[in-house]
Amino acid sequence: MVNNANVLWHYYSLPKKEIMIFVQNLEYFHPNKDILFDSINLTVNKHEKIALIGNNGAGKSTLLKLIAGQLKATSGTIKTEEPSYFIPQHFGQYDELTIAQALSIDTKLKALSEILSGNVSEDNMLALDDDWTIEERCAEALAHWQLQDIDLSQEMGTLSGGQKTKVFLAGINIHQPTLIMMDEPSNHLDVIGRKQLYDFIQSTNSTLLIISHDRQLLNLLPTVYELTRRGITVYGGNYDFYTEQKAIALDAMSEDVRSKEKALRKAKDLEREAMERQQKLDARGKKKQEKAGLPTISMNTLRNNAEKSTAKMKDVHAEKTGLLNTELKELRKELPDIDKMKIGFDNSILHTGKILVTAKEINYQYSHNALWQQALSFQVTSGERIALTGANGSGKTTLIKLLLGQLQPSTGTIYRAEANNVYIDQDYSLINNTLSVYEQAQKFNEAKLQEHEVKSRLTHFLFTKEDWDKACASLSGGERMRLILCCLTLSKQAPDIIVLDEPTNNLDIQNIEILTAAINQYKGTLIAISHDAVFLEEIGIKTTIALK
């Protein structure tokens, strides 16, 4: 039980004016009573800018919601300095609210309107709280984030994902908090929006605590807090520094694994040799006893003693190998998932350089308006790696549908060669949510592999036998991505073209690394839509089609 008196004494004894977040002995249970984490401790000082990272399921979003007061802790102490501001990862809960309500400024705006109309009541004055510039700040904030065409009375549900994110980012300009917490703020932003976010992070004087898988953003934050099942580890540097330190630790851990594997093999060899020697000694002793003509009772006693000695030796060796086995399993659990996976993509059957798509002066019309300022002309050849870039609404997904033959151009011509295409969107819609993990894999089993072979392939992609009957609907973004990669290896032949549409949006850093490794093994044609500059660089993009 936490002694709250001691905790509060510790909090108030610290230089309080410098502390923005104080968390001690924090514990949180899920509603089903499963424990998510316990004994979480952290302190964030004024003006600090901190990245909170960790694998999917570690509890990052839950921890941020607890600090922001969105959830109630099972036990422990949380203290935050005001004014604070929280930007969530998901916005569905706000869809029925107006933008003003979502930003908690509707009461002030209504009070100001009433006062300006002549209703200068005490309630209206209290509600406004002398904030006479609220309307001007709202207009300036929305314009700054390219939202000048939306109305504060508009419902959040009418906005795109990027617009919802920008609404909450505009709220920073409106509320002007000193403490800001953000959960994946760059997820739905285009290149321009990300650039604005990065500029804000670098220039603001506010204290920041940010969850993100955007490595470009993470490198702007000078301190990294890593949340694992053991608690929070602080790294006094940006994300690149963190990865360097993790690489050193991983090398040491891998060496420990190799050392333990060697020790286990040696222990098993010693056990086998000792047992063979003992068996030979027992057989030799038995022959001597038989030659000596000992009475039956003496023979039985000697045999029992020999069996006891052999059993004792077995126990000693079993204890040693069992301990080594346990230590090895624990070490392997700590290895990153990418080091446990076997991917194994086949190659495309198309020869490198074969022309797959030729587009000449193509454009597409919505309501008789051309989508692109200039018609597009380009070629796609086998083996190429192409990125489609452009602001939100520039027609990237429309171009993908034209490339795949799902749409026809309004003007111009497009040639498409016969090819096996796979389109992987950000929701991984190739997966059928009504199926189990094993059933989904079987849907792609064109090679007619045996059941045990399919399950072995699933194991290679980190789906253990406990996962095989799990419903696909319950899978996380990272699990869905791994399952699709597994399914692609079960096809008779690797796809000729893989199209990735914002594939990293719902992935943590570890799963982005898994996806990157898989894509780099793939030798076919790749077309990617992504605002993640680091990801595009790491998968070897050589050509860019920029849409305007």
Side-chain angles (χ1 to χ4, degrees), residues 466-486:
E466 288 78 19
D467 300 317
W468 297 338
D469 293 326
K470 186 188 288 186
C472 288
S474 68
L475 299 180
S476 68
E479 289 169 328
R480 293 168 78 84
M481 179 273 293
R482 282 191 279 109
L483 183 53
I484 282 183
L485 293 177
C486 178

Side-chain angles (χ1 to χ4, degrees), residues 24-132:
Q24 192 167 51
N25 295 324
L26 186 65
E27 186 177 69
Y28 182 76
F29 286 9
H30 286 300
N32 66 0
K33 304 303 180 186
D34 287 345
I35 189 165
L36 178 60
F37 45 61
D38 61 0
S39 300
I40 296 293
N41 300 285
L42 71 90
T43 301
V44 178
N45 293 316
K46 192 174 184 180
H47 303 313
E48 282 189 319
K49 298 177 181 180
I50 291 169
L52 178 61
I53 67 171
N55 294 338
N56 283 352
K60 303 183 299 296
S61 293
T62 300
L63 177 57
L64 209 61
K65 287 176 183 175
L66 288 164
I67 295 170
Q70 305 277 313
L71 290 174
K72 185 174 175 57
T74 304
S75 66
T77 298
I78 302 172
K79 295 286 180 182
T80 59
E81 286 298 306
E82 298 297 336
S84 65
Y85 187 77
F86 174 60
I87 299 180
Q89 180 180 1
H90 304 292
F91 305 101
Q93 67 272 33
Y94 300 103
D95 280 353
E96 305 302 318
L97 301 179
T98 66
I99 293 170
Q101 288 171 333
L103 293 175
S104 301
I105 55 175
D106 55 309
T107 303
K108 274 190 179 183
L109 289 172
K110 184 180 176 184
L112 178 61
S113 176
E114 289 277 324
I115 291 166
L116 294 176
S117 298
N119 184 10
V120 190
S121 67
E122 185 178 349
D123 287 345
N124 283 332
M125 294 300 288
L126 284 171
L128 183 61
D129 192 25
D130 277 342
D131 193 356
W132 297 98

Side-chain angles (χ1 to χ4, degrees), residues 12 26-27 52 64 67 76 84 87 158 179 181 201 213 225 227 237 244 308 329 335 402 405 410 419 436 468 494 502:
Y12 287 113
L26 186 65
E27 186 177 69
L52 178 61
L64 209 61
I67 295 170
S84 65
I87 299 180
T158 64
L179 168 61
M181 293 163 277
I201 288 170
H213 64 255
Y225 284 12
L227 177 62
E244 289 168 8
K308 284 178 182 176
K329 282 179 182 176
L335 286 173
L402 289 166
S410 303
S436 68
W468 297 338
E502 297 290 1

Side-chain angles (χ1 to χ4, degrees), residues 287-301:
K287 283 181 182 178
K288 285 182 180 179
Q289 292 157 15
E290 287 171 348
K291 281 182 182 179
L294 292 176
T296 302
I297 189 167
S298 298
M299 292 277 286
N300 288 340
T301 300

Side-chain angles (χ1 to χ4, degrees), residues 219-232:
N219 270 328
L220 302 176
L221 302 167
T223 307
V224 172
Y225 284 12
E226 183 185 31
L227 177 62
T228 67
R229 57 182 179 162
R230 295 186 303 276
I232 289 179

Side-chain angles (χ1 to χ4, degrees), residues 89 184 186-188 194 213 426 502-507:
Q89 180 180 1
E184 300 288 5
S186 65
N187 249 12
H188 300 287
R194 286 188 180 213
H213 64 255
Q426 57 189 293
E502 297 290 1
T504 64
N505 264 10
N506 300 306
L507 301 183

